[in-house]
Amino acid sequence: MTTMHGTSKRPRRAPTPEERKQCPERSRRLLLEAAMDEFSEKGFAGARVQDIADRAGLNKQLITYYFGGKEGLYRELGREWLRYEATFNDPAVPFEELVARYLREAFDDPRGIRLAIWQALTGEVGDEPREDLSDMRRRQAAGELADDLDPAAVLLMCYAMVSAPATMPHAVRQIFGIEPDSPEFRERWEEQLRRIVRHLAA
């Protein structure tokens, strides 16, 4: 990810009608990608609208035009994640495979994990609904989780296992002696995570 430090900033002006007509979906996508970079690096409070616009190579007024401002842009990232999550969170797949899918997503793009950590530490723009545990309870009834396990505790544990490489890369280096983004660690961690989840079954 590159930043644009040292570049001259564009004059502050409203977007022209031509700019608004030029590939609005592309502009939205550029702003969302730039916002993901900024928010995951600096949190909601630390990210500046001008820096997001500079990363995207667009006028910052387009953030207001498309998203209603910084908070709207932040919330749209959350909605984007939910839409994407629905493409791989399949209740029909075994729990072991589902957790592995989340792990691969976290490895491929750790920005979402970092963004969640910022939110957890600062309480920024956080009004998510309570987690729906119905799928975990269904899996428990089907024998994928032992009867004496608390589905809520299992889910939290899985969150921790999936996010650990992104949130504690220093611990990965200290404990495993390899880089957390190396193919060797990815393969080893996924294999062990799968084994751990299998041991949770009834």
Side-chain angles (χ1 to χ4, degrees):
M1 293 179 288
T2 58
T3 58
M4 300 184 66
H5 298 304
T7 59
S8 58
K9 293 186 177 179
R10 303 178 178 198
R12 298 184 178 184
R13 56 177 176 78
T16 66
E18 291 74 22
E19 284 178 312
R20 287 175 176 161
K21 290 176 184 175
Q22 271 184 355
C23 301
E25 188 51 43
R26 178 176 178 275
S27 295
R28 281 175 53 87
R29 179 56 43 200
L30 287 170
L31 288 169
L32 285 166
E33 278 297 309
M36 192 65 170
D37 286 341
E38 284 291 314
F39 288 135
S40 65
E41 287 178 11
K42 304 171 184 175
F44 178 79
R48 296 176 61 248
V49 168
Q50 186 64 59
D51 290 339
I52 293 170
D54 286 347
R55 274 187 188 261
L58 296 168
N59 188 308
K60 76 172 187 177
Q61 296 301 324
L62 288 173
I63 294 175
T64 300
Y65 181 72
Y66 288 126
F67 304 103
K70 179 179 170 182
E71 185 171 326
L73 181 57
Y74 188 89
R75 293 186 184 281
E76 181 59 24
L77 286 174
R79 290 189 287 269
E80 283 268 308
W81 163 250
L82 291 176
R83 288 190 287 268
Y84 179 65
E85 183 183 30
T87 67
F88 68 86
N89 184 347
D90 184 353
V93 303
F95 189 48
E96 168 196 337
E97 173 59 25
L98 183 62
V99 176
R101 288 183 182 185
Y102 276 94
L103 178 65
R104 289 194 292 269
E105 290 297 329
F107 273 133
D108 290 342
D109 188 356
R111 295 177 302 172
I113 298 292
R114 293 174 184 144
L115 189 60
I117 294 301
W118 271 109
Q119 185 172 316
L121 293 174
T122 63
E124 297 170 339
V125 198
D127 57 356
E128 294 87 357
R130 184 170 178 176
E131 185 71 44
D132 180 3
L133 294 172
S134 59
D135 184 60
M136 294 293 291
R137 295 191 179 100
R138 178 189 62 79
R139 290 178 182 279
Q140 187 171 44
E144 288 194 85
L145 300 178
D147 292 339
D148 61 343
L149 293 176
D150 179 348
V154 172
L155 187 59
L156 182 60
M157 179 193 69
C158 290
Y159 281 172
M161 288 193 297
V162 165
S163 63
T167 58
M168 296 187 292
H170 62 291
V172 173
R173 296 185 189 99
Q174 290 171 341
I175 296 169
F176 289 84
I178 50 181
E179 288 298 314
D181 58 353
S182 66
E184 180 186 358
F185 177 73
R186 288 182 58 150
E187 181 179 348
R188 184 172 170 185
W189 189 241
E190 179 176 334
E191 192 270 339
Q192 288 298 307
L193 185 148
R194 285 177 177 274
R195 285 177 179 267
I196 290 168
V197 172
R198 285 200 295 270
H199 278 295
L200 300 176

